[in-house]
């Protein structure tokens, strides 16, 4: 089993550097009810809807199935420090507000003449998400990682959720990921909770 900090790493990556100011009011998945009528307001866009969008976009891009994960629910082990117990409790509370997707490749060596195939696949995933209503937020960025590879990042938004797409390319390995967080949930973090995530 991964450690609490490892389980939190993708979550911390998503919120690092963001303006976070607590509690999680995660939206439940939209499910039709027998009593719904034509005049009823549309169901909220929830965690399961985000997961469905990610899975459909990844499948259409040819990525393997089963790579999405709903928010982690870490349990601190015996003997953990008070700080780690607080972090585990916070991440458990934020669990309904997050969805992640990660795809690693160990055969993705790239060069000027041979682009990284997993980067192209991430671009297809993002294109498929755009077709499902996800809007790009700001300009995408790509920066070199010394002389070993590149780091790409882009942000998309849809109905109160923010998707942080990342891609690391190194000489023999690459990783594509998307971490999605519910805006209202993370906007309610206290300064103390934000600092706990960023530590």
């Amino acid at each position: 089993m991964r450690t609490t900090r490892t389980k939190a790493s993708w979550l911390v990556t998503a919120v690092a550097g963001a303006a976070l100011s607590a509690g999680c009011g995660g939206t439940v998945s939209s499910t039709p009810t027998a009593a719904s009528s034509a005049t009823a307001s549309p169901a909220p866009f929830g965690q399961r809807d985000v997961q469905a969008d990610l899975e459909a976009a990844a499948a259409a891009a040819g990525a393997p199935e089963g790579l999405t994960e709903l928010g982690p629910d870490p349990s601190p082990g015996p003997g953990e420090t008070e700080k780690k117990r607080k972090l585990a409790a916070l991440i458990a509370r934020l669990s309904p507000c997050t969805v992640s997707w990660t795809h690693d490749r160990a055969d993705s060596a790239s060069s000027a003449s041979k682009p990284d195939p997993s980067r192209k696949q991430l671009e297809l995933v993002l294109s498929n998400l755009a077709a499902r209503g996800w809007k790009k937020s700001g300009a995408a960025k790509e920066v070199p990682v010394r002389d070993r590879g590149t780091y790409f990042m882009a942000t998309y938004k849809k109905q109160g959720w923010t998707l942080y797409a990342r891609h690391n390319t190194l000489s023999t390995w690459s990783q594509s990921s998307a971490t999605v967080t519910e805006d209202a949930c993370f906007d309610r973090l206290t300064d103390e909770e934000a600092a706990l995530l960023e530590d």
Side-chain angles (χ1 to χ4, degrees):
M1 175 177 269
R2 293 175 290 174
T3 65
T4 298
R5 186 162 294 282
T6 301
K7 284 187 174 186
S9 64
W10 60 265
L11 180 60
V12 172
T13 299
V15 298
L20 301 173
S21 62
C24 177
T27 309
V28 295
S29 174
S30 57
T31 52
T33 62
S36 64
S37 68
T39 58
S41 60
F45 185 72
Q47 186 186 45
R48 296 276 181 194
D49 302 299
V50 172
Q51 181 185 30
D53 274 1
L54 263 175
E55 289 179 346
E65 293 181 11
L67 299 178
T68 60
E69 178 183 344
L70 298 180
D73 187 12
S75 301
E80 292 281 16
T81 65
E82 178 65 19
K83 185 174 181 179
K84 286 188 178 180
R85 284 195 295 274
K86 282 184 178 180
L87 178 62
L90 175 60
I91 290 171
R93 202 178 77 228
L94 293 173
S95 184
C97 309
T98 60
V99 180
S100 67
W101 172 83
T102 305
H103 184 205
D104 294 302
R105 289 178 61 118
D107 60 345
S108 297
S110 62
S111 64
S113 61
K114 181 188 170 198
D116 176 2
S118 64
R119 168 65 188 279
K120 182 171 175 59
Q121 189 173 62
L122 177 62
E123 289 172 3
L124 285 172
V125 171
L126 295 176
S127 176
N128 294 336
L129 285 167
R132 299 179 74 85
W134 289 85
K135 307 289 185 197
K136 197 173 202 180
S137 176
K141 297 178 184 173
E142 186 158 13
V143 295
V145 180
R146 286 174 244 143
D147 58 349
R148 300 173 52 207
T150 59
Y151 180 68
F152 166 82
M153 58 203 107
T155 305
Y156 287 74
K157 291 183 173 285
K158 181 178 178 180
Q159 296 182 37
W161 291 77
T162 301
L163 181 146
Y164 303 92
R166 303 288 182 263
H167 183 79
N168 292 294
T169 301
L170 298 175
S171 57
T172 59
W173 169 87
S174 71
Q175 181 186 69
S176 296
S177 67
T179 303
V180 195
T181 59
E182 186 183 21
D183 299 340
C185 179
F186 280 76
D187 286 346
R188 289 193 298 272
L189 285 175
T190 64
D191 291 342
E192 181 184 356
E193 289 168 331
L196 189 61
L197 283 173
E198 292 172 352
D199 258 356

